[in-house]
């Protein structure tokens, strides 16, 4: 700060410099800061606010600085507070007075707003790529498990039979929505704040449409106060990241449950499990637990940014620089979780026998027995009651619906015939559920097809994505 100041007589104390400096965690913004500066300087040249030669020299030097940063040769200094001033300082060191023209008609306020928007946009695309990778894994695993029967649960009590494929595709839907939520957040934030300057725009005739366009935005913001004071994109994107963590965490919770000894529905690969320091038999799902636990961090980041922004008067206030650590932590966490999660899901093995066995206790075909009576003319409520009585009888006599004799069935209703056994056969129970989105093979296949199309469109979208026309 001191470097640029004429207003101050005394040097800032090291304490305050250290306290408000963002450069300690902001180096990752260098690429975006330089991109924004190049757009700005091209705009200045285009409008003859500075000469073309000056604009070209600044652009060339900024590119050199970026190279130095990428090669690890650049020294970031706390005394220059943030990424913007660190880079501007070196620019001026390199080309003197011409470098001092870069900041004409610009403020760190629109610069900071712009940099983070560019960064958030890029990160959104990265998170989307992880989602697509996971969708491919889910689709493929589901395809291989269209006939892997398992109990579906409500209240964590066995409810009705489904398949492992059907189960996995439920998560595919959640992640498809997350992908769309990210896309939506991207579209909503896609307006360039460059030109808003400190808060009230500037007297220089900037061509904001031009800089907005070469930076890959839809158009400039409509209001300069909003341009610099808006952090909705940070809040919204962390909201979506939080929802993603909810989904990952629910999935992890089930993985932990399903690979426990008592369930044994799935086995995690050794590569994604850990042992115990004392109990030799242990194979723990630590990765799933850690992802479940890390959801808390991301929710914390969301609460942090919501709270930081909620009481800020327009326009820029220093509170707003809390946006970066919140976003960095949230997005780093989500990406790290996906890296591990995708590998864990890809390599886990369903235990088909255990799942099928689990289908044969817990009366998960009781609804089918009631539906059977209903189809033979009884009202559903009466059929429900009779089937409940049969279940109670089975419990008392340690039997299941499958191994009751027809005679026993007939004691409850004359409508029972030999075809009841086919009706309550687990595979048949699943196959009969042909409503859209249901577990029958045909409907899960349909869902998989739809998801394939979704994946292909998403891959195309990500491939065609280009942040800007600068680099
Ligand atoms: N480092 C600041 C931030 O991250 C940049 C903007 C500073 N603007 C100011 N007027 N102090 O928000």
């Amino acid at each position: 700060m001191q470097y640029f100041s004429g207003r101050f007589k005394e040097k800032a104390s090291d304490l305050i410099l250290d306290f408000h400096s963002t450069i300690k965690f902001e180096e990752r913004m260098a690429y975006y800061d330089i991109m924004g500066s190049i757009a700005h300087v091209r705009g200045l040249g285009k409008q003859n606010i500075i000469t073309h030669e000056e604009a070209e020299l600044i652009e060339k030097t900024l590119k050199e600085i970026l190279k130095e940063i990428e090669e690890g040769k650049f020294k970031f200094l706390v005394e220059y507070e943030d990424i913007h001033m660190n880079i501007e300082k070196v620019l001026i060191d390199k080309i003197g007075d011409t470098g001092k023209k870069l900041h004409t008609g610009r403020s760190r306020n629109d610069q900071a707003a712009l940099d983070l928007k560019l960064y958030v946009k890029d990160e959104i695309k990265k998170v989307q790529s992880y989602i697509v990778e996971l969708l491919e894994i889910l689709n493929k695993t589901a395809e291989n498990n269209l006939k892997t029967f398992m109990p579906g649960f409500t209240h964590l009590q066995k409810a009705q039979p489904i398949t492992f494929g059907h189960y996995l595709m439920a998560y595919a839907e959640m992640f498809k929505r997350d992908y769309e939520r990210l896309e939506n957040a991207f579209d909503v934030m896609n307006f360039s704040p460059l030109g808003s300057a400190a808060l009230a725009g500037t007297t220089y005739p900037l061509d904001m449409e031009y800089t907005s366009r070469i930076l890959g935005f839809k158009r400039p913001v409509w209001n300069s106060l909003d341009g610099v004071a808006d952090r909705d994109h940070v809040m919204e994107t962390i909201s979506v990241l939080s929802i993603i963590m909810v989904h990952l965490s629910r999935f992890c919770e089930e993985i932990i449950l399903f690979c426990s000894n008592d369930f044994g529905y799935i086995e995690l690969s050794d590569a994604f499990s850990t042992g115990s320091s004392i109990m030799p038999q242990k194979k723990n799902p630590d990765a799933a637990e850690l992802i479940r636990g890390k959801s808390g961090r991301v929710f914390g980041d969301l609460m942090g940014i919501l709270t930081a922004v909620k009481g800020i008067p327009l326009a820029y206030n220093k509170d707003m620089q809390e946006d970066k650590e919140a976003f960095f932590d949230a997005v780093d966490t989500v990406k790290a979780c996906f890296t591990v999660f995708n590998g864990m899901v890809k390599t886990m093995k369903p235990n088909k026998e255990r799942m099928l066995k689990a289908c044969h206790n817990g009366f998960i075909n009781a609804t089918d027995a009631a539906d059977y009576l209903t189809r033979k003319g009884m009202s559903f409520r009466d059929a429900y009651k009779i089937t409940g009585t049969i279940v109670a009888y089975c419990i008392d006599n340690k039997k299941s619906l499958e191994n009751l004799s027809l005679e026993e069935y007939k004691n409850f209703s004359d409508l029972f015939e030999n075809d009841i056994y086919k009706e309550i056969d687990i595979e048949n129970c699943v196959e009969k559920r042909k409503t859209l989105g249901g577990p029958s093979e045909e409907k899960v296949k349909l869902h998989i097809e739809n998801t394939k199309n979704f994946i292909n469109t998403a891959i195309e979208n990500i491939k065609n994505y280009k942040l800007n026309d600068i680099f």
Side-chain angles (χ1 to χ4, degrees), residues 1 20 22 26 81-84 107-109 112 231 316-318 320-321 323-324:
M1 175 71 99
H20 77 178
T22 46
E26 216 181 13
E81 194 183 325
D82 56 25
I83 190 72
H84 323 299
S107 157
R108 275 189 300 158
N109 297 348
R231 292 296 181 274
Y316 181 84
N317 295 258
K318 194 74 166 187
M320 292 167 71
Q321 77 177 25
D323 56 2
K324 280 172 276 296

Side-chain angles (χ1 to χ4, degrees), residues 2 11-21 24 78 81:
Q2 297 305 289
K11 213 172 157 293
S13 91
D14 289 344
L15 280 180
I16 187 75
L17 276 178
D18 192 56
F19 184 61
H20 77 178
S21 164
K24 295 157 278 186
V78 167
E81 194 183 325

Side-chain angles (χ1 to χ4, degrees), residues 175-225:
F175 290 110
K176 278 155 80 179
R177 287 196 296 272
D178 291 336
Y179 179 99
E180 301 280 24
R181 285 186 184 96
L182 287 170
E183 194 63 26
N184 195 42
F186 186 103
D187 284 345
V188 170
M189 65 174 276
N190 204 8
F191 297 86
S192 169
L194 186 61
S196 298
L199 74 162
T202 170
T203 52
Y204 297 97
L206 300 182
D207 185 347
M208 288 171 67
E209 304 274 358
Y210 167 76
T211 49
S212 158
R213 191 166 57 247
I214 61 175
L215 285 167
F217 289 97
K218 219 181 301 177
R219 69 172 312 283
V221 293
W222 284 102
N223 180 287
S224 60
L225 288 173

